Amino acid sequence: MLRKKTNGVARRPQRSSILNQVAETSVDRRAFLRGSGLAIGGLAAISATGGAVAPANAASAAAGAVETIKSICTHCSVGCTVVAEVQDGVWTGQEPGWDSPFNLGAHCAKGASVREHAHGERRLKYPMKKEGGEWKRISWDQAIDEIGGGMMDIREESGPDSVYWLGSAKHNNEQAYLFRKFAAYWGTNNVDHQARICHSTTVAGVANTWGYGAMTNSYNDIHNSKAIFIIGGNPAEAHPVSLLHLLKAKEQHNAPVIVCDPRFTRTAAHADEYVRFRPGTDVALVWGILWHIFENGWEDKEFIRTRVWGMEQIKDEVAQWTPEEVERVTGAPGEQLKRVARTLANNRPGTVIWCMGGTQHTTGNNNTRAYCVLQLALGNMGTSGGGTNIFRGHDNVQGATDLGVLSHTLPGYYGLSKGAWGHWARVWGEDSDWLTGQFDTLTAADGKEKSLQNLKGIPVSRWIDGILEDKDNIDQPDNVRAMVLWGHAPNSQTRMTEMKTAMEKLDMLVVVDPYPTVSAVLQDRTDGVYLLPACTQFETRGSVTASNRSLQWRDRIVEPLFESLPDEVIMAKFARKFGWADRLFRNIEMEDAETPNVESITRELNSGLWTIGYTGQSPERLKLHMANQHTFDRTTLRAVGGPADGDYYGLPWPCWGTAAMKHPGTPNLYDMSKPVSEGGLTFRARFGVERDGDNLLAEGVYSKNSEIQDGYPEFTMQMLMDLGWDGDLTDEERASIEAVAGPKTNWKTDLSGGIQRVAIKHECAPFGNAKARAVVWTFPDPVPIHREPLYTNRRDLVEDYPTYEDRQSYRLPTLYASIQKNDVSKDYPIILTSGRLVEYEGGGEETRSNPWLAELQQDMFVEINTRDANNLGVRDGEQCWVEGPEGGKVKVMAMVTERVGAGVAFMPFHFGGHYQGKDLRDKYPEGADPYVLGESANVVTTYGYDVVTQMQESKCTLCKITAA
């Protein structure tokens, strides 16, 4: 039940409102506004609040100093600027950033209420441990000593991989980078974060198509789109401010909006064409659209000839997807898809947008590659208004991914090879042998010892199995025994009944978070649980990367509240306990023994992330952009005059070379209409120069002013020598290159940046100029194909479109065919999918603890179609049970609606604090329970993982619904 916050201040009568106080004094208006921290928009809002603002009179307001501080909203990836008004160290008011080119003075409900997070009375206030079934307050010293000592004992007994370090998309870039480095020094690749379960299939699919796995254009560039195709995304609720940019294209160009979704969402309400289709059939749907494009010759033949490899193999697969077969599999009528295809063909450039509705499947990588192929066929890549605009979820999930908080790579997507570790050892100034010695070894099938340093770790989607699986089946010496959930909502993961069992089997469970999270209450442990209060991102500083690859700088708004600490300080405390703090911070300035300087961390990551161009965004350049947001064009994002003249806002990566080179950033990836020095780019030569005798390099096309007027491979020192361009290197650059690998040094491992600088001097892309590949020969399905979900009620399609065979992946056995062969559809006939609500975000602990948001949505619910509800005897607004085929069930309110089609149900995944009908409120530490509790949708969701990335399948399972 919602409990309203009163803060002990009685309501004042209307006549004593702040407006009346202004009228009764002689203080001039400008001085009052400045002193009280109210902007014009703030005054306009007073009438809506009955004048109930901070109790102060005008004279004291004028005398008090109000400081305005810019930060970035901590919810989704749009990157909205928040202007905080601070008086005497207290955050007293808030305005949206009117100068921000991203939010343009707008906020959604979540953004408008972020001040509450830094004043939230439901936060964790001090370190706690569970002892004898009761929560007990402890000191930081005791917490670090007990947790660190326990971890070192586990390390000694079972090896470093028995401690799992689960990071966060809520960390800023500096914290994310330090977290991945921290895990490396501990000696494990059992480190991951939320990107695994939101866009890992995007990163893998997109990067393996054309080189980088990120949004290619930007929210702002959608202004230039002539058509907008949205599949598996609901930006109206998940990224509300992004609608500003989509609707501008709709208004400015009359751009048709096409929404493909199993559910009629708030985004679909804006669509010119809404396509309802069966969950889990994205590839079939896209191939059905492409069938009409190829059939009518609407593809961009010249673009395909010069910049795409493998489209003929795609055509062979698409030819099988006739309108009749597409409708049989997806439910979408052939005539409607023909209309969609014609709309896309007649309105170019068009953009494709997707989110987790497309990624969270066992075939997620196939889905994302199919979306890319659609854009390649239409010639919509590398152009303003086109591209694949992938809307990331959390505020820094893009940055945390880029910084390598992943079990399969180091920062910058360098991977885990010996060469990758060598590169980062050089950046860190570390002894490679010492670093390797921190890792355990495993005896391989051939009897040889293999370092786990080079083996992918267990992903966050599978940490449950790292605990519960027979250790003889795991590719590491022992099971996971200690779990650190550092800024993670466990209720955002599937299989929560097994998660509960796993938590109870651990030796130690550690939560580091501003809030206790569902981790504190899901399990029935009586001891071995620690809660450590991290402060929010408003109580620290650092950079954060928006979905469009732009970096923005957050300034600290207030000092850490209660006994909370910044994440980098907590890491430093643990590093000191483990005995290698001096090594970890060797190149990082320290403000005191346990406080690393954030800007110094930025400079260290700048010195190593050459692959993706995180090297030119110095703290100084980022702060300059934040201070001069008003100088950046709202569509192109380029500064027009001012101190950042010519830069693109936030220096979207790749921002090549060092900061001294002053590269402006790359607004739209693969756009050859600009010189590389001004933000242009080609497709990356990442996959070799030929395949089966076919040329993989671009055919006679190149970026503007390029001195190599054809395709070319990635740059190395040897290539510079062969071209005669090595004379452009300075002596210092040459010496640095020689120290790495001499002529074999490439653009990714040259710590001087000289190879990049010289390539760009000649207007060439450091990573080469190649074709995108429509066929990924290194994946299980080189050409994306439709495969039925593991839990499907279309048993007639399983034989034609079966799933994969069971296999070992990411250290663990992974099941496919052995699950799909069991037909549970008679008992569980309804398809269950899940998604977001506009009021809440992620696991919801933070937003459900915010009284302004909690009041808007107080009940967990399931959407059920009218026909299904009537057949099942379920009434709107009444309680019902939703049960999954693996035994999990939840008791929720029924919302009977036509939003979902017959045979499909939907639940939001933001709720927690109830478990299978039981209210867990009394299990939270006193005063730290969220205002709103509810059942977690992922108690019902089931097993299923993408074959490439281990993405969980939370968008397509089966359930049964009964009246409670």
Side-chain angles (χ1 to χ4, degrees):
M1 180 176 177
L2 179 67
R3 293 175 291 182
K4 290 183 182 269
K5 181 178 176 182
T6 65
N7 75 15
V9 179
R11 287 184 178 274
R12 288 164 290 155
Q14 186 68 28
R15 64 179 178 275
S16 62
S17 74
I18 195 167
L19 293 175
N20 289 65
Q21 294 172 26
V22 173
E24 292 167 6
T25 66
S26 60
V27 178
D28 71 88
R29 181 175 176 276
R30 183 179 296 275
F32 174 77
L33 290 176
R34 184 172 61 250
S36 65
L38 286 172
I40 305 251
L43 276 178
I46 287 175
S47 61
T49 62
V53 294
N57 59 50
S60 64
V66 174
E67 184 182 7
T68 58
I69 301 172
K70 285 183 180 179
S71 187
I72 306 300
C73 178
T74 54
H75 291 300
C76 82
S77 66
V78 174
C80 299
T81 294
V82 175
V83 180
E85 297 152 352
V86 180
Q87 190 166 15
D88 297 327
V90 178
W91 189 353
T92 57
Q94 174 189 333
E95 285 285 338
W98 296 91
D99 289 336
S100 167
F102 291 164
N103 57 311
L104 306 172
H107 266 332
C108 71
K110 294 187 288 288
S113 61
V114 291
R115 188 177 74 94
E116 188 65 28
H117 298 326
H119 290 269
E121 60 186 33
R122 319 310 290 177
R123 279 176 53 172
L124 278 175
K125 297 176 176 63
Y126 33 73
M128 306 189 82
K129 65 179 289 190
K130 206 165 198 182
E131 193 172 84
E134 300 293 328
W135 291 111
K136 176 183 175 183
R137 179 177 180 173
I138 59 176
S139 69
W140 271 104
D141 287 346
Q142 180 183 348
I144 298 298
D145 188 59
E146 289 185 12
I147 296 168
M151 287 178 174
M152 289 192 288
D153 289 344
I154 291 171
R155 180 191 175 93
E156 183 67 27
E157 295 166 11
S158 299
D161 290 296
S162 287
V163 178
Y164 195 108
W165 299 93
L166 176 46
S168 184
K170 294 301 182 191
H171 285 153
N172 62 35
N173 286 325
E174 290 71 23
Q175 293 164 342
Y177 168 79
L178 189 62
F179 192 85
R180 185 59 180 93
K181 183 180 180 183
F182 179 97
Y185 275 63
W186 171 261
T188 188
N189 292 324
N190 280 345
V191 54
D192 216 27
H193 83 292
Q194 290 85 0
R196 180 73 56 187
I197 54 175
C198 65
H199 271 292
S200 63
T201 46
T202 292
V203 175
V206 176
N208 278 281
T209 299
W210 46 55
Y212 283 149
M215 178 188 259
T216 61
N217 294 39
S218 67
Y219 295 108
N220 300 69
D221 186 68
I222 296 170
H223 301 175
N224 298 313
S225 298
K226 302 296 178 60
I228 300 170
F229 181 87
I230 304 171
I231 183 167
N234 181 16
E237 296 204 67
H239 307 82
V241 175
S242 72
L243 259 283
L244 283 173
H245 304 293
L246 272 72
L247 295 179
K248 181 169 183 178
K250 187 175 170 70
E251 179 182 344
Q252 190 168 276
H253 300 302
N254 199 27
V257 176
I258 300 161
V259 174
C260 303
D261 201 291
R263 177 173 171 255
F264 189 82
T265 62
R266 292 188 184 184
T267 303
H270 293 280
D272 297 276
E273 183 90 50
Y274 168 62
V275 181
R276 194 191 293 277
F277 69 106
R278 182 168 65 96
T281 62
D282 298 58
V283 172
L285 186 84
V286 174
W287 284 174
I289 295 168
L290 266 180
W291 187 92
H292 293 287
I293 290 171
F294 290 144
E295 184 76 6
N296 291 281
W298 293 336
E299 72 271 26
D300 188 328
K301 299 177 179 62
E302 182 61 12
F303 183 91
I304 292 169
R305 184 187 71 80
T306 58
R307 299 194 71 185
V308 183
W309 180 87
M311 193 61 81
E312 290 304 314
Q313 294 179 56
I314 297 292
K315 286 184 176 181
D316 291 343
E317 173 65 22
V318 168
Q320 303 172 46
W321 288 96
T322 62
E324 295 74 23
E325 183 64 4
V326 172
E327 185 166 2
R328 181 173 84 100
V329 172
T330 71
E335 276 303 308
Q336 184 180 33
L337 295 189
K338 183 176 182 180
R339 190 164 61 243
V340 168
R342 183 185 293 111
T343 300
L344 293 174
N346 290 341
N347 296 276
R348 304 188 220 193
T351 189
V352 170
I353 296 168
W354 73 83
C355 203
M356 291 185 287
T359 63
Q360 291 181 334
H361 296 273
T362 53
T363 55
N365 80 86
N366 283 357
N367 294 347
T368 62
R369 287 186 292 133
Y371 309 152
C372 293
V373 170
L374 175 63
Q375 286 294 74
L376 291 172
L378 290 166
N380 280 336
M381 292 308 303
T383 184
S384 181
T388 51
N389 282 309
I390 303 142
F391 287 11
R392 300 302 297 262
H394 293 291
D395 58 312
N396 201 38
V397 70
Q398 182 64 57
T401 305
D402 298 335
L403 275 302
V405 187
L406 298 162
S407 66
H408 65 278
T409 188
L410 286 162
Y413 310 98
Y414 278 83
L416 297 173
S417 67
K418 184 177 180 180
W421 282 102
H423 168 74
W424 282 105
R426 284 190 292 274
V427 173
W428 297 333
E430 191 52 81
D431 179 347
S432 290
D433 291 338
W434 180 87
L435 205 52
T436 299
Q438 289 292 95
F439 286 79
D440 222 326
T441 59
L442 193 69
T443 303
D446 58 7
K448 295 181 179 178
E449 289 287 303
K450 184 176 182 179
S451 175
L452 290 173
Q453 185 182 34
N454 309 116
L455 187 68
K456 295 175 184 176
I458 295 171
V460 58
S461 52
R462 306 294 306 279
W463 66 264
I464 302 165
D465 298 305
I467 299 165
L468 299 179
E469 182 64 58
D470 186 326
K471 72 177 183 180
D472 291 338
N473 297 331
I474 307 178
D475 294 334
Q476 64 182 47
D478 205 346
N479 293 87
V480 172
R481 294 176 53 192
M483 193 72 203
V484 184
L485 294 101
W486 202 315
H488 180 76
N491 50 317
S492 63
Q493 289 186 242
T494 56
R495 300 169 58 204
M496 285 183 66
T497 54
E498 290 168 276
M499 182 188 297
K500 180 179 186 294
T501 303
M503 286 181 169
E504 291 164 357
K505 188 178 178 183
L506 288 165
D507 291 38
M508 182 190 301
L509 176 63
V510 181
V511 175
V512 188
D513 201 280
Y515 296 84
T517 79
V518 171
S519 298
V521 299
L522 177 63
Q523 35 69 33
D524 290 326
R525 300 178 65 104
T526 57
D527 52 32
V529 184
Y530 292 86
L531 306 178
L532 303 183
C535 65
T536 70
Q537 287 296 315
F538 300 120
E539 297 151 66
T540 184
R541 67 186 191 277
S543 64
V544 59
T545 306
S547 199
N548 73 309
R549 297 166 286 106
S550 284
L551 279 70
Q552 300 182 93
W553 190 268
R554 282 190 181 119
D555 280 327
R556 183 174 62 197
I557 295 175
V558 291
E559 295 289 334
L561 300 181
F562 314 114
E563 292 182 19
S564 68
L565 293 174
D567 296 278
E568 67 271 19
V569 173
I570 302 172
M571 290 180 226
K573 284 181 175 289
F574 276 117
R576 283 170 62 85
K577 174 67 177 178
F578 297 147
W580 31 258
D582 289 346
R583 305 183 85 114
L584 185 73
F585 298 111
R586 177 186 286 114
N587 300 326
I588 296 171
E589 298 170 16
M590 301 294 290
E591 295 176 7
D592 59 45
E594 294 180 339
T595 307
N597 177 272
V598 174
E599 288 82 356
S600 185
I601 302 174
T602 314
R603 294 187 184 97
E604 182 174 285
L605 69 88
N606 286 157
S607 72
L609 271 85
W610 301 98
T611 41
I612 54 175
Y614 256 78
T615 50
Q617 304 98 333
S618 66
E620 293 76 17
R621 293 186 80 188
L622 296 180
K623 292 176 183 180
L624 183 74
H625 282 211
M626 291 300 294
N628 293 278
Q629 288 178 316
H630 62 285
T631 66
F632 292 88
D633 185 272
R634 300 304 192 251
T635 295
T636 67
L637 294 179
R638 197 162 202 183
V640 182
D645 187 29
D647 284 357
Y648 291 98
Y649 180 67
L651 303 168
W653 65 259
C655 181
W656 299 111
T658 63
M661 195 171 126
K662 292 192 177 297
H663 188 269
T666 307
N668 298 328
L669 296 177
Y670 323 120
D671 180 359
M672 298 194 301
S673 69
K674 299 182 181 72
V676 176
S677 65
E678 297 180 22
L681 209 56
T682 52
F683 286 135
R684 183 177 173 183
R686 188 179 179 183
F687 317 114
V689 297
E690 67 90 28
R691 174 75 178 171
D692 298 333
D694 291 342
N695 175 39
L696 294 180
L697 301 179
E699 303 265 8
V701 292
Y702 43 88
S703 53
K704 186 177 180 180
N705 298 340
S706 171
E707 292 186 26
I708 303 178
Q709 299 191 350
D710 203 352
Y712 50 88
E714 64 177 356
F715 274 79
T716 63
M717 178 59 174
Q718 185 64 57
M719 185 168 164
L720 290 186
M721 294 163 63
D722 293 343
L723 291 166
W725 295 354
D726 58 310
D728 293 331
L729 294 167
T730 66
D731 291 341
E732 292 80 6
E733 289 168 343
R734 192 181 293 272
S736 177
I737 291 166
E738 188 60 37
V740 175
K744 294 182 180 179
T745 306
N746 68 31
W747 64 282
K748 301 186 293 288
T749 56
D750 166 21
L751 299 186
S752 73
I755 294 175
Q756 289 192 11
R757 184 185 63 78
V758 171
I760 293 172
K761 179 181 179 181
H762 296 271
E763 294 298 358
C764 294
F767 62 25
N769 178 16
K771 293 177 178 176
R773 60 173 182 174
V775 178
V776 180
W777 58 82
T778 51
F779 278 14
D781 295 330
V783 172
I785 62 174
H786 170 66
R787 293 179 183 273
E788 278 294 299
L790 300 192
Y791 289 96
T792 177
N793 57 8
R794 289 296 303 275
R795 304 307 299 181
D796 56 312
L797 297 175
V798 170
E799 184 176 348
D800 294 336
Y801 304 107
T803 188
Y804 306 95
E805 294 300 317
D806 296 354
R807 60 191 63 207
Q808 189 83 358
S809 183
Y810 282 81
R811 303 192 182 186
L812 292 162
T814 307
L815 309 180
Y816 294 96
S818 61
I819 290 178
Q820 193 182 65
K821 71 181 182 182
N822 300 311
D823 181 4
V824 299
S825 61
K826 290 182 177 58
D827 293 325
Y828 301 92
I830 296 176
I831 299 172
L832 177 65
T833 189
S834 63
R836 293 189 178 206
L837 301 176
V838 70
E839 298 88 355
Y840 296 141
E841 200 256 349
E845 195 84 358
E846 189 175 48
T847 43
R848 287 183 289 105
S849 296
N850 185 320
W852 312 109
L853 298 174
E855 191 165 13
L856 299 176
Q857 181 62 60
Q858 300 185 36
D859 295 296
M860 170 59 174
F861 61 91
V862 59
E863 291 181 359
I864 179 172
N865 181 265
T866 307
R867 178 178 296 276
D868 293 327
N870 290 338
N871 289 340
L872 295 168
V874 172
R875 299 289 297 273
D876 184 62
E878 294 186 356
Q879 295 291 302
C880 64
W881 287 99
V882 182
E883 182 178 339
E886 292 178 359
K889 63 180 182 177
V890 297
K891 187 180 181 182
V892 297
M893 182 181 289
M895 179 186 284
V896 179
T897 176
E898 294 297 310
R899 289 181 191 171
V900 289
V904 177
F906 164 88
M907 289 197 294
F909 67 87
H910 307 298
F911 290 83
H914 288 180
Y915 182 71
Q916 301 197 112
K918 182 180 179 182
D919 188 332
L920 306 179
R921 190 176 292 278
D922 61 352
K923 295 178 70 175
Y924 281 92
E926 185 177 357
D929 50 318
Y931 293 109
V932 169
L933 303 182
E935 295 271 14
S936 299
N938 283 316
V939 170
V940 182
T941 53
T942 49
Y943 191 101
Y945 300 98
D946 177 77
V947 73
V948 173
T949 72
Q950 295 290 291
M951 163 68 78
Q952 64 186 17
E953 182 158 58
S954 57
K955 297 299 186 235
C956 188
T957 187
L958 297 178
C959 71
K960 66 179 177 183
I961 300 175
T962 55

